[in-house]
């Protein structure tokens, strides 16, 4: 069955306290929250709609630049999550498949989980399925309210909840699967008579029950996946969770990570087995690291870095947009930016590629060919090519 994704990304993100950056464009390891969500659905849906509003232009630009198959839909003013979804009603007027609704501020959910969620929806012949999980401390989340027979009754937001409802630990993850043709008319009927004066998407559960639809909850065991980001403290916590997940993947694949607690690796970094990452390294953006490399301690890879096998990037070495061929060492206090470094090269301590000309505001390349030795404290003013076998003193 055809599936479309609707990603809610119009909210103001007031609790992030950022004047310049919309919530969904905040980053975890150099990748935006919205980017994580779009990457999670792009392999199994036939189209994505991103609802934009607050800082709409920036979010639209982000989507256009990075996910050209996704469409943005403007929600202005922003009257709540239910109102946000109603914005796609014209686009989906004749759509007869499933609509998967996600929030742009929930980046930790895994693609496999979303697929199982959709399978659950189909195999239970559901019309509306909501993802839920259990939190010991459910503060801030909508509570899942069940009938005595355990069937789903409704969702109550924290701000509208009675003390008994607040004590419920099963919460709404903010992820829904809808049989669109049966549920779409709900969006014209939602009311805003609640504590926040908003049109709540969560009210579709009650609406579904009133219209004799099949309403189910898919309860996720791993509650970390639905961790929503509303504040900078949440962002820091989510970064930690994401990083642990990434580190575990590399450990399983045979990478040695001496101190997972102080090592940060972006989701788009590939590392081959037998490479060793020493403590306090920060690896962001897209990178490819070969086998038997030694990285750190205290190394910083800033993205678009390709290291072939047996490369050493030592302490206080920063690398950006650079390819380093095999058996090359840059062991101490070095900056390599916009560079191509050959094989068997030794980069002495304190070597800097001066890649940026502040007068012309342009960046240029440094090319260092095979078997070169760059002596300590060299500044290589780009554009520059050091030919094969040369020694720089
Ligand atoms: C929402 C749910 C809550 C759930 C939680 C899970 C509602 C009413 N509440 O609460 O039950 O436990 O998510 O994380 O749905 N947005 C818009 N337009 C709007 C308002 C919000 O696009 O008018 C977007 C936001 O950008 C955000 C998402 O919807 O990505 C959720 O909004 P947010 O305000 O964070 O809702 P929560 O209070 O977290
Ligand atoms: Ca939220």
């Amino acid at each position: 069955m055809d599936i479309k994704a609707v990603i809610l990304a119009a909210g103001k993100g007031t609790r992030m306290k950022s004047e310049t950056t919309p919530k969904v464009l905040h980053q975890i390891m150099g990748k935006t929250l919205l980017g994580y969500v779009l990457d999670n659905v792009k392999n199994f849906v036939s189209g994505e709609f991103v609802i934009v509003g607050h800082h709409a232009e920036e979010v639209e630009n982000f989507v256009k630049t990075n996910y050209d198959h996704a469409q943005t839909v403007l929600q202005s003013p922003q009257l709540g999550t239910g109102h946000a979804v109603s914005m796609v009603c014209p686009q989906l007027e004749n759509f007869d498949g499933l609509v998967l609704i996600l929030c742009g501020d929930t980046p930790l959910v895994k693609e496999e989980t979303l697929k199982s969620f959709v399978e659950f929806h189909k195999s239970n012949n559901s019309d509306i399925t909501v993802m839920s999980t259990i939190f010991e401390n459910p503060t801030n989340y909508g509570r899942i309210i069940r009938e005595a027979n355990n069937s789903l009754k409704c969702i109550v937001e924290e701000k509208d909840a009675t003390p008994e409802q607040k004590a419920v630990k099963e919460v709404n993850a903010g992820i829904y699967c809808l049989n669109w043709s049966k549920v779409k008319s709900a969006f014209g009927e939602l009311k805003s008579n609640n504590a926040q004066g908003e049109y709540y998407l969560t009210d579709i559960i009650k609406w579904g029950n009133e219209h004799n639809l099949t309403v189910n909850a898919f309860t996720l065991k791993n509650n970390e996946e639905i961790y929503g980001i509303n504040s900078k403290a949440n962002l820091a916590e989510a970064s930690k969770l994401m990083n642990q997940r990434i580190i575990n993947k590399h450990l399983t694949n045979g990478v040695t990570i001496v101190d997972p607690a102080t090592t940060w690796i972006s989701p788009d970094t590939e590392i081959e087995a037998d490479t060793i990452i020493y403590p306090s390294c920060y690896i962001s953006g897209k990178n490819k690291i070969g086998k038997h490399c030694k990285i750190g301690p205290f190394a910083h890879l800033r993205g678009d870095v390709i290291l072939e096998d047996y490369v050493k990037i030592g302490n206080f070495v920063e690398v950006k947009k650079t390819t380093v061929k095999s058996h090359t060492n840059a062991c101490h206090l070095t900056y390599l930016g916009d560079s191509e470094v050959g094989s068997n090269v030794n980069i002495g301590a304190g070597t800097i590629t001066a890649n940026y000309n502040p007068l012309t505001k342009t960046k240029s390349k440094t090319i260092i060919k095979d078997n070169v030795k760059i002596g300590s404290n060299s500044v290589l003013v780009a554009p520059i090519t050091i030919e094969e076998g040369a020694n720089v003193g």
Side-chain angles (χ1 to χ4, degrees):
M1 196 184 271
D2 199 3
I3 309 174
K4 304 278 184 205
V6 174
I7 299 167
L8 308 186
K12 189 157 180 214
T14 314
R15 292 164 281 182
M16 295 299 275
K17 305 240 167 85
S18 172
E19 282 185 3
T20 48
T21 309
K23 172 155 84 173
V24 296
L25 295 190
H26 279 76
Q27 298 187 350
I28 293 179
M29 300 304 301
K31 179 167 173 173
T32 63
L33 305 184
L34 182 56
Y36 283 97
V37 179
L38 280 161
D39 278 345
N40 277 339
V41 296
K42 69 176 181 201
N43 295 327
F44 69 96
V45 302
S46 66
E48 302 99 332
F49 297 93
V50 180
I51 311 296
V52 301
H54 189 67
H55 281 284
E57 232 171 86
E58 279 162 81
V59 182
E60 264 165 28
N61 274 340
F62 169 80
V63 173
K64 261 190 215 131
T65 317
N66 299 285
Y67 298 88
D68 51 5
H69 46 91
Q71 293 182 49
T72 56
V73 181
L74 185 66
Q75 181 201 14
S76 177
Q78 294 92 45
L79 303 178
T81 48
H83 178 249
V85 176
S86 72
M87 296 295 113
V88 293
C89 287
Q91 277 87 342
L92 294 177
E93 203 182 339
N94 300 314
F95 180 66
D96 192 25
L98 301 180
V99 171
L100 179 63
I101 302 175
L102 306 118
C103 293
D105 66 351
T106 310
L108 294 174
V109 62
K110 294 179 186 163
E111 183 179 336
E112 305 99 84
T113 302
L114 294 174
K115 285 183 182 157
S116 325
F117 176 63
V118 171
E119 282 316 307
F120 174 94
H121 176 90
K122 289 185 193 163
S123 59
N124 284 279
N125 294 317
S126 268
D127 297 311
I128 301 176
T129 307
V130 59
M131 196 183 291
S132 76
T133 196
I134 309 292
F135 274 124
E136 272 316 302
N137 175 9
T139 313
N140 278 328
Y141 291 91
R143 306 299 201 279
I144 300 283
I145 308 300
R146 291 178 181 271
E147 302 280 11
N149 69 2
N150 211 36
S151 69
L152 204 54
K153 184 178 177 195
C154 61
I155 297 173
V156 176
E157 289 305 291
E158 167 110 6
K159 287 180 177 142
D160 301 290
T162 63
E164 291 101 72
Q165 289 171 330
K166 275 189 189 155
V168 172
K169 290 179 178 167
E170 186 179 6
V171 304
N172 169 24
I175 298 172
Y176 313 78
C177 188
L178 312 179
N179 276 3
W180 185 250
S181 57
K182 287 202 189 162
V183 184
K184 63 182 179 190
S185 58
F187 294 98
E189 297 174 25
L190 296 177
K191 302 271 178 325
S192 61
N193 53 346
N194 51 53
Q196 306 188 76
E198 290 183 356
Y199 297 92
Y200 288 166
L201 175 56
T202 47
D203 286 345
I204 56 169
I205 305 299
K206 194 164 160 259
W207 185 92
N209 282 324
E210 285 164 3
H211 290 76
N212 291 318
L213 299 185
T214 308
V215 179
N216 278 305
F218 168 93
T219 308
L220 190 63
K221 283 209 180 75
N222 179 8
N223 62 13
E224 139 196 334
E225 285 189 47
I226 71 127
Y227 191 76
I229 294 170
N230 298 314
S231 65
K232 293 282 165 67
N234 294 155
L235 184 66
E237 180 64 22
S239 304
K240 223 160 62 185
L241 294 169
M242 181 67 80
N243 192 46
Q244 275 163 9
R245 192 187 284 178
I246 293 165
I247 298 249
N248 287 340
K249 175 186 83 182
H250 291 300
L251 291 171
T252 307
N253 290 347
V255 178
T256 300
I257 296 173
V258 176
D259 183 18
T262 61
T263 303
W264 290 85
I265 303 176
S266 65
D268 299 326
T269 294
E270 294 170 32
I271 311 177
E272 289 188 56
D274 285 324
T275 278
I276 305 181
I277 315 276
Y278 291 98
S280 295
C281 289
Y282 193 85
I283 302 176
S284 67
K286 285 189 182 166
N287 309 284
K288 251 186 155 155
I289 302 175
K291 48 181 184 265
H292 296 284
C293 292
K294 292 184 172 159
I295 315 288
F298 301 100
H300 185 188
L301 310 191
R302 287 174 47 206
D304 297 316
V305 172
I306 298 173
L307 306 180
E308 289 189 355
D309 303 340
Y310 295 95
V311 167
K312 272 194 212 165
I313 299 294
N315 33 218
F316 307 107
V317 175
E318 176 181 336
V319 191
K320 193 205 79 181
K321 275 199 184 158
T322 287
T323 299
V324 182
K325 296 231 164 106
S326 68
H327 297 275
T328 282
N329 302 333
C331 289
H332 343 260
L333 302 156
T334 284
Y335 173 58
L336 298 173
D338 299 296
S339 305
E340 278 172 32
V341 184
S343 214
N344 284 307
V345 170
N346 191 62
I347 308 269
T351 298
I352 307 292
T353 57
N355 59 331
Y356 182 64
N357 181 340
L359 301 177
T360 58
K361 296 198 165 92
T362 51
K363 286 187 179 157
S364 303
K365 281 192 87 161
T366 298
I367 297 173
I368 301 172
K369 300 217 171 145
D370 296 347
N371 306 312
V372 164
K373 292 191 171 37
I374 306 287
S376 294
N377 214 16
S378 301
V379 176
L380 306 172
V381 181
I384 185 172
T385 300
I386 314 278
E387 293 295 346
E388 188 171 344
N391 287 351
V392 174

